[in-house]
Amino acid sequence: MGKAKVFVTRRLPDATLNRLVAHCELEVWEDFLPPDYATIREKIRDRDGLLSLLTDRVDARLMDAAPKLRVISNLAVGYDNIDVDAATERRIPVGNTPGVLTETTADFAFALLMAVARRIPEAQTYIRDGNWRTWHPTVLSGQDIFGATLGIIGFGRIGQAVARRARGFNMTILVNTEENKDKIQEIGGEEASFERVLSESDFVSLHVPLTETTQHMIGERELTLMKSSATLINTARGSVVDGEALHQALDRGDILAAGLDVTDPEPIPLEDPLLSLDNCLVVPHIASASVATRAKMADMAADNLIAGVTGNRLPNCVNPDVYT
Ligand code: GLV
C-alpha cells in the first residue's frame, strides 16, 4: 500500500513537514493566505487526511466531498471551525493541540491586560507623534494591576494559568465557570456568579471556547453590568463578545477599555469602529505565537495526522466517540 495522501492548508515549519513526508504523500498550500472553501474541498477529494488551521471551515459538505478522509487534524486548541458532530457521524477523528499553548496564551492574556491597563500602545504613539515634551504628573496615567480584582470567565487550562499569574500580582480572583470548580480555591480564587464577576471586577478575562452558548455571551446587558473603570480582555474567540455592543460601551464610557486578541470577523476590517478607539487595543490573534509553542503545536498536529492516516488512535482527539 502506498503512502497516505494528505492536504496541509498552510506551510508549517520544515522540521514538521519533514516528519510528515516520512509517512505521507503531502500537498502543502504554500500561499500566505488560506485556501478558500472551494479549494480545500477540491484538494481533499481523494485525500486520507487533512491538516487544517482555525481559518479553515470544515463542515459536513466538505467531509462528504472527501470519501476517503480518515482524519482531520486542526492546528489549534480551539476547534469551532470544524463541525465535530458531522465528523463523529462519519467516524472521522478530529485532533487538536491542547496543553502546549497554555502558558504562552496565559502570558499573552496577561500582557494584553497590562498593556491596556498601563496604556503602553498609547504611550508609544504619544512619543512617535512628538508629544513627549516633559514629565507630567497626570499624562498617560493608567490603572493599577497589583491588588486589583480579576474576573475570569471559563476555567479550563488557560483560565487557570491566568489565575496563577494573577496571584503574583496579589489580585482578588473571581471565577465564573461550569468546569473545574474544584481548582478555584487551590489556585487562590473565589467562585462567583457570572453577574458578580462582571459587576465587581476591574479586569474581566474571557477563557471559554466558542459554542452556541458562549456566542455573544458578552453583549450590551453584560457590558452595562461592568464597572465604568473596568477593562475587558478577550483571548478566547471574537464572537464570544458582541463587537457592536462593545464599541458602544467603550465609546460611551460604560467600560474603560478593552484588549482583544480575537475579533469577529478575523481579520478585523480596517473600517471597524473598534479600531478608531484609543481605549481599545486590538492585536491579530497571536496569543499562542511564541516560536517554541507554535513549533510544538505544529508537531502535535502532525502527530495527530500521522496517527489518523496510519490507523492509530489520535494522541489528542476531541471526538473520542469515534473509537467506540
Ligand atoms: C488559537 O486560538 C487556538 O485555538 O489554538
Side-chain angles (χ1 to χ4, degrees), residues 42-210:
E42 178 56 36
K43 293 284 182 193
I44 65 170
R45 199 166 284 282
D46 67 340
R47 301 275 151 177
D48 305 286
L50 170 66
L51 194 151
S52 54
L53 269 58
L54 53 80
T55 46
D56 307 319
R57 176 163 57 94
V58 183
D59 60 10
R61 207 171 129 244
L62 197 104
M63 295 173 207
D64 287 339
K68 295 195 201 153
L69 199 63
R70 279 183 279 151
V71 55
I72 300 165
S73 172
N74 207 40
L75 197 163
V77 65
Y79 44 86
D80 47 276
N81 58 309
I82 297 175
D83 185 339
V84 175
D85 289 341
T88 308
E89 273 165 31
R90 289 157 184 77
R91 303 194 74 75
I92 303 173
V94 176
N96 72 336
T97 65
V100 289
L101 49 70
T102 301
E103 302 301 340
T104 304
T105 304
D107 279 353
F108 194 84
F110 229 85
L112 206 50
L113 184 158
M114 295 182 79
V116 177
R118 298 305 305 275
R119 306 176 60 180
I120 293 172
E122 281 176 82
Q124 186 179 48
T125 306
Y126 179 81
I127 293 186
R128 289 185 173 172
D129 289 350
N131 291 323
W132 190 12
R133 288 180 289 141
T134 182
W135 189 93
H136 189 281
T138 57
V139 159
L140 287 166
S141 299
Q143 304 302 305
D144 279 322
I145 298 148
F146 190 87
T149 297
L150 172 65
I152 297 181
I153 296 178
F155 211 51
R157 283 173 290 257
I158 299 170
Q160 292 171 43
V162 168
R164 284 196 297 274
R165 283 158 179 73
R167 245 180 16 185
F169 285 76
N170 202 29
M171 295 179 98
T172 298
I173 303 165
L174 299 180
V175 179
N176 178 254
T177 182
E178 295 299 319
E179 48 165 14
N180 302 319
K181 294 188 186 215
D182 55 316
K183 303 265 173 56
I184 299 177
Q185 271 199 333
E186 196 181 297
I187 295 183
E190 184 189 337
E191 190 183 351
S193 68
F194 184 54
E195 284 73 18
R196 182 166 167 228
V197 167
L198 293 172
S199 61
E200 290 186 20
S201 300
D202 300 304
F203 300 94
V204 173
S205 192
L206 304 175
H207 299 287
V208 289
L210 176 61

Side-chain angles (χ1 to χ4, degrees), residues 185-262:
Q185 271 199 333
E186 196 181 297
I187 295 183
E190 184 189 337
E191 190 183 351
S193 68
F194 184 54
E195 284 73 18
R196 182 166 167 228
V197 167
L198 293 172
S199 61
E200 290 186 20
S201 300
D202 300 304
F203 300 94
V204 173
S205 192
L206 304 175
H207 299 287
V208 289
L210 176 61
T211 63
E212 276 172 19
T213 321
T214 62
Q215 167 105 17
H216 284 194
M217 82 186 290
I218 304 293
E220 192 181 346
R221 182 189 86 90
E222 292 71 25
L223 291 159
T224 312
L225 286 175
M226 288 172 68
K227 299 201 258 189
S228 57
S229 57
T231 292
L232 179 70
I233 302 296
N234 189 6
T235 53
R237 284 291 184 266
S239 56
V240 171
V241 176
D242 175 344
E244 244 177 77
L246 178 63
H247 174 258
Q248 278 176 15
L250 288 166
D251 198 35
R252 283 198 301 246
D254 296 346
I255 69 168
L256 185 68
L260 309 176
D261 180 46
V262 286

Side-chain angles (χ1 to χ4, degrees), residues 244-300:
E244 244 177 77
L246 178 63
H247 174 258
Q248 278 176 15
L250 288 166
D251 198 35
R252 283 198 301 246
D254 296 346
I255 69 168
L256 185 68
L260 309 176
D261 180 46
V262 286
T263 59
D264 177 29
E266 289 185 5
I268 189 169
L270 277 181
E271 57 279 7
D272 190 306
L274 283 169
L275 295 180
S276 65
L277 299 173
D278 285 340
N279 55 347
C280 187
L281 172 58
V282 186
V283 294
H285 203 151
I286 52 171
S288 68
S290 77
V291 176
T293 291
R294 285 286 168 88
K296 285 183 203 156
M297 289 168 68
D299 266 341
M300 277 179 93

